[in-house]
């Protein structure tokens, strides 16, 4: 009943939203991933983007002023991971704060994992448990500029991961998925990347080795931004992510 009521209210608001399909198309044109969605899938992506903007506040950080095109691009990037899961997977938080460039956390600040840092940290993005997603527009612009990089996908992966016992690299799995298999696949991939990084042959961003949550987020970036590459270097990880996201970007 609640979902039906929310959809009814959203439908009414959508009809009054001052955004055209042409505006959206222009906003997402620079992002190659968006071109993957055509026909009915593209219409669903457009519709989900507008609903995301109704549900979430995209706020400016540090005096940076966001325009409509920027909001549409960020929202579309955020929607892609949950296109087949539904926007309800993003319930429980409401704000995305966007700075013009890399932002610095306060000295002595506590991070999203509860760790206090004596010195401020320069970040491209951050996702807080039961809190906002914070992003750098300068880094958002770097999406697709190198294999697998997308700060929006990275931080939204953290939000999905946090739905089940915090950011531990294991989001809530669907019925029919095997948690032990998930753990085995990602553990093996971690060990493989760790060995490759020690040899100076890392095949993913070594930042993935910070902790299991970061591995999942980096793998998610690769899954959507460079799926053919991820499937080539970590086919079992690709398969698990395809089952989780219910998408197969390689076709």
């Amino acid at each position: 009943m609640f979902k039906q009521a929310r959809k009814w209210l959203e439908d009414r608001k959508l009809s009054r939203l001052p955004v055209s399909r042409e505006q959206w198309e222009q906003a997402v044109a620079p992002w190659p991933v968006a071109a993957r969605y055509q026909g009915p899938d593209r219409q669903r992506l457009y519709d989900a983007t507008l609903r995301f903007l109704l549900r979430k506040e995209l706020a400016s950080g540090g005096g940076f002023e966001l325009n409509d095109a920027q909001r549409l691009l960020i929202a579309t990037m955020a929607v892609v991971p949950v296109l087949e899961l539904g926007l309800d997977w993003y319930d429980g938080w409401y704000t995305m704060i966007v700075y013009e460039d890399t932002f610095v956390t306060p000295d002595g600040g506590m991070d999203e994992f509860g760790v206090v840092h004596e010195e401020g940290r320069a970040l491209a993005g951050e996702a807080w448990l039961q809190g906002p997603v914070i992003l750098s527009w300068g880094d958002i612009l770097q999406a697709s500029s190198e294999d697998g990089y997308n700060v929006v996908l990275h931080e939204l992966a953290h939000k999905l991961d946090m739905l089940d016992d915090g950011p531990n690299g294991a989001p809530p799995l669907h019925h029919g998925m095997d948690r032990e298999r998930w753990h085995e696949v990602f553990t093996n991939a971690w060990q493989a990347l760790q060995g490759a990084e020690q040899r100076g042959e890392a095949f993913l961003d070594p930042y993935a080795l910070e902790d299991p949550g970061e591995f999942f987020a980096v793998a998610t970036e690769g899954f959507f931004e460079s799926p053919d590459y991820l499937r080539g270097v970590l086919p079992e990880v690709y398969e698990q992510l395809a089952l989780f996201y219910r998408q197969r970007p390689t076709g």
Side-chain angles (χ1 to χ4, degrees):
M1 181 65 73
F2 171 75
K3 289 184 178 180
Q4 290 179 336
R6 177 157 72 172
K7 185 177 184 304
W8 180 78
L9 288 172
E10 283 183 356
D11 287 343
R12 293 192 63 186
K13 292 178 181 179
L14 281 177
S15 66
R16 300 192 296 268
L17 202 63
V19 176
S20 68
R21 177 64 178 264
E22 182 180 6
Q23 285 178 290
W24 178 76
E25 292 286 357
Q26 292 176 348
V28 303
W31 187 39
V33 173
R36 188 181 302 140
Y37 299 88
Q38 296 297 327
D41 289 341
R42 195 168 188 82
Q43 179 60 41
R44 291 194 301 117
L45 183 62
Y46 170 64
D47 180 75
T49 297
L50 299 189
R51 291 180 188 277
F52 180 90
L53 289 172
L54 290 177
R55 296 188 188 190
K56 309 297 181 187
E57 176 190 13
L58 269 66
S60 299
F64 177 56
E65 293 187 10
L66 280 170
N67 60 39
D68 290 343
Q70 291 167 329
R71 293 176 192 275
L72 286 168
L73 177 59
I74 294 168
T76 303
M77 289 180 174
V79 162
V80 160
V82 296
L83 185 62
E84 302 298 337
L85 306 181
L87 289 176
D88 292 353
W89 279 67
Y90 287 157
D91 283 355
W93 61 275
Y94 306 98
T95 308
M96 300 182 85
I97 303 171
V98 185
Y99 286 83
E100 184 172 9
D101 211 335
T102 304
F103 53 93
V104 179
T105 62
D107 293 349
M110 180 182 295
D111 66 18
E112 70 272 29
F113 305 114
V115 178
V116 177
H117 298 265
E118 294 183 1
E119 298 182 356
R121 298 168 298 142
L123 300 174
E126 193 167 43
W128 284 76
L129 183 65
Q130 297 180 336
V133 173
I134 310 173
L135 301 164
S136 154
W137 174 250
D139 283 271
I140 293 170
L141 287 177
Q142 297 303 310
S144 301
S145 63
E146 57 184 87
D147 284 344
Y149 185 74
N150 188 306
V151 67
V152 179
L153 295 176
H154 186 103
E155 300 306 329
L156 270 296
H158 282 319
K159 278 297 189 182
L160 296 174
D161 189 10
M162 291 173 181
L163 292 173
D164 193 4
D165 296 328
N168 57 8
L173 301 184
H174 310 302
H175 178 72
M177 293 187 69
D178 188 329
R179 183 168 293 276
E180 291 185 3
R181 177 60 177 162
W182 178 279
H183 179 73
E184 176 188 16
V185 166
F186 277 86
T187 298
N188 290 342
W190 173 291
Q191 293 172 347
L193 179 59
Q194 191 173 51
E197 196 275 333
Q198 291 170 353
R199 298 190 301 271
E201 302 171 353
F203 48 82
L204 283 183
D205 184 350
Y207 187 64
L209 296 173
E210 288 286 313
D211 57 61
E214 295 298 351
F215 196 101
F216 171 67
V218 169
T220 291
E221 291 180 79
F223 179 75
F224 289 106
E225 283 283 355
S226 51
D228 291 315
Y229 177 77
L230 183 69
R231 190 178 187 181
V233 296
L234 292 173
E236 293 181 329
V237 168
Y238 175 90
E239 184 61 27
Q240 289 299 306
L241 292 177
L243 292 173
F244 174 67
Y245 289 112
R246 294 174 171 165
Q247 299 185 51
R248 293 187 178 274
T250 59

